[in-house]
Amino acid sequence: MTEPQQDSLANLRARINQFVAEREWDQFHTPKNLAMAMIVEAAEVVEHFQWDTPQESAALSDERKIEIGHELADTFVYLLRIAEVCGIDLIAAANAKIDLNAKKYPVEKARGSNAKYTAYQE
């Protein structure tokens, strides 16, 4: 029995890059094209919830989880490709954005509120 491959963002990026290279798709993977493809896939995620009540959207059958998971995976792969093509360290960018949001949404003002940060401006 073989040891399972360790899941990591680096391993996934390498697998996607190999998949793209083997098919010579780099020529099509411009930031514009990838961003457009990602939005199309994100819309397909939304389509799964379009007419659900909030309760229905939170109570997913195993079959729906698989279907939605496929669309989320498509969206995620395109997001990773955009970062790759643009030379953006997605982990560093996400950490920087969380730091920025922590300043924009201080706990003492934002807890339990869905107001935009501009509502906290004095």
Side-chain angles (χ1 to χ4, degrees):
M1 182 177 220
T2 62
E3 184 113 355
Q5 183 178 6
Q6 179 182 352
D7 287 335
S8 74
L9 194 55
N11 288 342
L12 182 57
R13 285 177 50 216
R15 186 170 183 206
I16 293 166
N17 290 342
Q18 179 180 353
F19 183 91
V20 170
E22 289 171 347
R23 289 154 182 80
E24 297 181 354
W25 286 352
D26 281 308
Q27 62 186 317
F28 308 115
H29 284 192
T30 64
K32 176 196 87 62
N33 287 351
L34 291 166
M36 292 173 68
M38 183 183 67
I39 291 303
V40 169
E41 295 301 336
E44 290 180 12
V45 173
V46 173
E47 187 176 26
H48 283 277
F49 298 105
Q50 185 173 7
W51 303 111
D52 285 358
T53 65
Q55 295 78 14
E56 290 168 336
S57 72
L60 301 176
S61 67
D62 290 342
E63 181 180 336
R64 283 190 72 196
K65 285 181 183 179
I66 290 169
E67 292 170 359
I68 293 165
H70 288 165
E71 302 306 340
L72 289 171
D74 287 339
T75 304
F76 187 50
V77 167
Y78 282 124
L79 175 65
L80 290 176
R81 281 298 293 159
I82 294 167
E84 186 77 22
V85 168
C86 292
I88 295 170
D89 178 337
L90 204 49
I91 299 296
N95 279 310
K97 184 63 177 178
I98 292 167
D99 292 343
L100 179 63
N101 284 343
K103 292 176 186 168
K104 289 165 67 172
Y105 295 94
V107 172
E108 61 279 358
K109 293 182 179 179
R111 181 179 285 122
S113 172
N114 64 354
K116 187 170 177 167
Y117 72 92
T118 54
Y120 308 134
Q121 304 293 319
E122 294 176 28

